[in-house]
Amino acid sequence: MKVLVTGASGLLGSEICRRLDADREFLGIKKLLKLRRKPGDHYLAVDLANPADWPQIAEQDWSVVIHTAAIKEPDKCENNQPDAVMLNVAATAFLANEAARRRAYMIYICTDYVFPGINPPYDEDAAPEPLNYYGQTKWQGELAVLAASTSFASLRVPILYGLAAGIEQSGAIIGSLRPLFDRHEQKMDDVIVRYPTWTGNVAAAVELILSNQAAGVFHCTAEERTTKYGLCVALAQLLDLPYDHLQPYTGLGTGAPRPHDAHLSWQRLRLLGFPGCKSFSQQLQLMKPELAAGIRCIKS
Ligand SMILES: NC(=O)c1ccc[n+]([C@@H]2O[C@H](COP(=O)([O-])OP(=O)(O)OC[C@H]3O[C@@H](n4cnc5c(N)ncnc54)[C@H](OP(=O)(O)O)[C@@H]3O)[C@@H](O)[C@H]2O)c1
């Protein structure tokens, strides 16, 4: 069983590839390859947003696809809607139809931003109602996957963090460290509720869904709630950094609208035997040596 992983250089895709490397054959798709491809390499460069590149995917031998590649930044999607549609919807529909045609299995990675965040928690059957273009395109991608085959799965996740692709790739961590290093007075959002979830836990959920070849919509989330400001404070306290220059901000945010609290409930994953995700306080503590090493790299 060869597994195709899109977004293999990304925050989540690199964690999934790291785990698959141990016991399954996989081919990771990246947009760009930094080094020339050699025989036996696990990676292939394909621009999924360019339909002219799609035959390269169709030519490969694979029987499972884990589709993580996406434009995930809400403001980028809002400001560049054609690009967001090409990758988040059109490329997803192509992969789903190709997987169905060859009777392969597919897991699509989706987001809690399909929900408006007004009435949490949201279970797997709650009706999506995205507030921004990113959420709309991810939901359309999910609909295309579920329409292509009733045996495919979609896994919705909230804000992620992890270090498999390097500290710079982990938006939640780097986005909290930068304001801590930059000692200017700054206001940090303290309104939008987030549930930072470790990519290692999501990769384990993907493995569980894959080994059961489970179908339909699944949710995976950690339970500890925080805000952007709360995450900065947690990292500052963990790493012994000053944070008195940061002010909690409770006014309106700028940019694409975000759901206030899109907390996911995850009964279906529990029924598959998933033990749950670590809280970010516990997980950050475990990652402290790796974090410190990553910080030394970005400072040098
Ligand atoms: N990160 C979060 O907080 C979060 C929260 C909820 C849901 N999600 C969902 O989780 C999934 C994974 O997110 P992530 O954080 O791992 O994303 P990421 O770190 O931004 O990685 C995106 C990946 O997509 C690839 N990619 C981008 N454009 C491409 C193109 N045109 N052709 C081929 N590959 C392309 C990138 O390849 P290159 O590096 O080669 O450009 C990269 O490997 C996404 O579907 C996202 O919607 C993420």
Side-chain angles (χ1 to χ4, degrees):
M1 177 198 292
K2 190 166 188 177
V3 183
L4 191 75
V5 182
T6 72
S9 51
L11 173 62
L12 178 60
S14 50
E15 180 75 54
I16 291 173
C17 290
R18 184 157 83 170
R19 282 165 181 251
L20 287 173
D21 206 11
D23 50 13
R24 286 187 209 262
E25 207 188 340
F26 76 94
L27 179 64
I29 303 298
K30 304 179 177 190
K31 187 172 175 188
L32 297 170
L33 278 187
K34 298 219 169 74
L35 300 170
R36 189 186 253 277
R37 190 161 194 257
K38 299 184 294 295
D41 264 3
H42 283 311
Y43 297 96
L44 179 69
V46 177
D47 181 357
L48 286 170
N50 179 4
D53 269 18
W54 292 350
Q56 286 191 67
I57 297 276
E59 281 159 16
Q60 302 299 318
D61 170 30
W62 48 271
S63 56
V64 172
V65 54
I66 301 171
H67 180 35
T68 81
I71 301 182
K72 68 172 180 198
E73 300 84 359
D75 295 339
K76 221 174 176 177
C77 290
E78 214 77 31
N79 298 331
N80 210 335
Q81 299 192 355
D83 285 356
V85 169
M86 276 316 292
L87 185 59
N88 295 3
V89 186
T92 302
F94 156 71
L95 284 167
N97 291 328
E98 175 57 29
R101 189 193 63 76
R102 65 173 68 192
R103 297 184 187 283
Y105 175 65
M106 179 165 188
I107 302 177
Y108 169 69
I109 304 298
C110 197
T111 169
D112 59 345
Y113 275 27
V114 298
F115 295 119
I118 298 160
N119 195 18
Y122 293 94
D123 68 28
E124 297 86 346
D125 292 326
E129 199 187 327
L131 291 185
N132 59 34
Y133 202 69
Y134 165 66
Q136 283 175 32
T137 57
K138 291 296 294 183
W139 183 32
Q140 285 170 30
E142 180 180 90
L143 289 173
V145 169
L146 300 177
S149 167
T150 51
S151 36
F152 292 169
S154 174
L155 178 64
R156 298 178 184 146
V157 297
I159 186 167
L160 304 176
Y161 65 94
L163 295 175
I167 199 165
E168 293 276 2
Q169 197 77 25
S170 190
I173 290 181
I174 200 78
S176 304
L177 288 176
R178 285 213 175 98
L180 289 171
F181 294 144
D182 170 5
R183 297 278 290 127
H184 292 102
E185 283 217 345
Q186 288 172 65
K187 289 179 176 165
M188 303 290 302
D189 178 68
D190 199 27
V191 174
I192 294 190
V193 180
R194 292 148 197 268
Y195 300 85
T197 298
W198 180 45
T199 49
N201 288 138
V202 177
V206 165
E207 284 230 44
L208 185 66
I209 293 169
L210 173 57
S211 57
N212 283 278
Q213 301 259 317
V217 173
F218 292 85
H219 289 171
C220 177
T221 186
E223 297 294 346
E224 187 178 358
R225 50 188 279 148
T226 187
T227 60
K228 215 169 182 178
Y229 174 73
L231 197 52
C232 281
V233 172
L235 272 166
Q237 289 173 341
L238 178 80
L239 300 165
D240 227 355
L241 297 168
Y243 59 92
D244 53 352
H245 59 294
L246 302 181
Q247 303 300 321
Y249 177 66
T250 53
L252 280 180
T254 54
R258 265 79 164 164
H260 174 251
D261 181 351
H263 189 204
L264 302 169
S265 68
W266 49 281
Q267 289 88 326
R268 288 211 187 123
L269 212 50
R270 192 177 276 121
L271 285 173
L272 279 188
F274 189 66
C277 299
K278 283 219 165 68
S279 70
F280 72 82
S281 310
Q282 283 175 313
Q283 185 56 36
L284 286 179
Q285 192 70 45
L286 293 172
M287 286 164 55
K288 193 172 167 180
E290 256 187 293
L291 270 174
I295 290 168
R296 279 196 295 278
C297 281
I298 51 175
K299 280 187 154 175
S300 60

